[in-house]
Structures are given as structure tokens and as C-alpha cells.
Amino acid sequence: AGNLASEQADYPAAASWYEESLAIVRGLGDRAAAGACLSNLGRVAMHREDYGRAEALHAEALVLRRADGDSGGIAYTVECQAIVAQHQQDYARARRLHEEALALWEEMGNDGGRMWALGNLAEIRSVEGEDAAAALLYAEALGLALVLQDQHSLYNLVGCFAALAARRGDFGRAATLAGASEGLRRRAGLGLHANDAADPWAW
């Protein structure tokens, strides 16, 4: 229920469901589930621009996940911490954390995680005006999206290339890529997630 509310950008409802879930799993002594709940609450806090709370929740989740030796959970939580840093425009810290998460995803052979981290690193490069470096990272992420047939990421990444073209002043190419992105979304039967509109960091 918390995930559904979050997908609809109903963050007060999402927080309420996640808090209830956290209380239940803590009562059961389920450390892994508690880590997941804390990460979810951290994402909600980030969307609500309560960055201090988001960081505290992710830090608490990371302690639990490190204690469990949960490599996937650790990588996910570090990635979430990086996105919080991006929102705060602390790009040096965000880049370091994304690179840390990327190394963990690579070690696990998790292509979905690698794709996510590469897309986020590309976003940082783009914001910092390093469009050529951003394009290379987006291209690597796009290759993984094609292998995984991740339709949401495919249309998202083509849209990222459209934004890069627009920043270069190549508006014809930008319009073509934006149209291709929308075509991919519609062909896959995907709706626009509320989070994509509410959160500038769609990754």
C-alpha cells in the first residue's frame, strides 16, 4: 500500500503505511524488512524535501543492511543517499556515493543497479556542464536497458538524450528524440508515473 501511494506521489499516505509497516516488522524482529521500510521512508522524506530526515533514515537503514551483509540492500541505500545529495546540489558527495554503489552493483553482476547508477552519474555530469561525459554514461545505461528490455528506462534515457541535444542548441534533434521517447512510452503502454513529474531526478 505504501508503494502504491508513493507511485501516485501521495507521500503523506505513503509515509503512514510505511510507518505502520516499520512498527510491525520491528515488533517481529525482522531486521531486513526494517531496513527496507526505513529506505522507503527515506525516499518519501526526500520527495517531501525533508533532506535531513531522509539522510537520517537512509543512514539507519544502511546500518541494518551492513549488519545483515545485504549487498543489494547496501547498494540500493547508498544510491538513495546519493540522490538525496543530488537534491541538495552536493554533487561531489553524490558522485562519490553513486560510484560506490556502481562498484557494488558491478561486483554483484546486477545490470539493473548498474543502469540506475550510470544514469544518475550521467545526470550529475550533465548538471555540471560535462555533456560529452554525460552522453557516454547515458549510452552505457541505454545499452543495459536494451539488454534488460526495461521499457521505462528506455524511454527515460532517450528523453535524457533529447535534453542533452536541447542544451547544445540542436533543437531539431531534441524534438526528434523527445518524440521517440514518447513513442516508446506509448508503444510499451506505460503511463507517466506521478514521481516522474514530481521528482526532477527520475532515476
Side-chain angles (χ1 to χ4, degrees):
N3 289 342
L4 179 59
S6 181
E7 285 291 311
Q8 296 172 320
D10 185 353
Y11 301 123
S16 178
W17 286 113
Y18 288 143
E19 290 282 6
E20 185 175 350
S21 180
L22 181 61
I24 292 168
V25 297
R26 277 181 164 160
L28 294 170
D30 189 335
R31 191 164 57 187
C37 288
L38 288 163
S39 287
N40 286 331
L41 281 165
R43 290 292 297 272
V44 167
M46 180 196 70
H47 286 302
R48 299 174 85 175
E49 300 183 359
D50 188 347
Y51 301 125
R53 176 167 169 75
E55 178 57 37
L57 288 162
H58 287 313
E60 188 178 353
L62 192 57
V63 168
L64 295 179
R65 288 176 152 168
R66 289 196 192 282
D68 277 347
D70 177 6
S71 298
I74 292 167
Y76 175 83
T77 306
V78 170
E79 195 74 56
C80 289
Q81 289 180 313
I83 295 170
V84 172
Q86 276 179 259
H87 277 273
Q88 295 174 296
Q89 299 181 358
D90 186 350
Y91 299 123
R93 181 168 186 262
R95 183 182 300 186
R96 178 180 60 78
L97 289 168
H98 284 312
E99 288 172 349
E100 180 183 342
L102 178 60
L104 288 168
W105 295 124
E106 288 176 341
E107 185 178 326
M108 289 181 283
N110 186 316
D111 286 343
R114 286 176 58 213
M115 180 183 65
W116 187 30
L118 287 164
N120 280 314
L121 282 168
E123 186 68 37
I124 292 173
R125 296 283 191 177
S126 178
V127 168
E128 293 180 332
E130 300 175 27
D131 285 350
L136 290 173
L137 290 165
Y138 279 137
E140 190 174 351
L142 182 61
L144 290 169
L146 287 166
V147 169
L148 296 168
Q149 284 298 291
D150 183 331
Q151 300 300 314
H152 181 270
S153 294
L154 282 171
Y155 89 73
N156 197 347
L157 284 160
V158 173
C160 290
F161 278 107
L164 286 178
R167 274 196 288 273
R168 290 197 305 269
D170 190 348
F171 299 116
R173 180 172 175 77
T176 298
L177 288 167
S181 173
E182 177 64 7
L184 285 167
R185 182 186 70 80
R186 292 187 179 187
R187 189 174 69 183
L190 296 168
L192 283 172
H193 287 197
N195 287 339
D196 289 351
D199 183 2
W201 307 105
W203 292 93

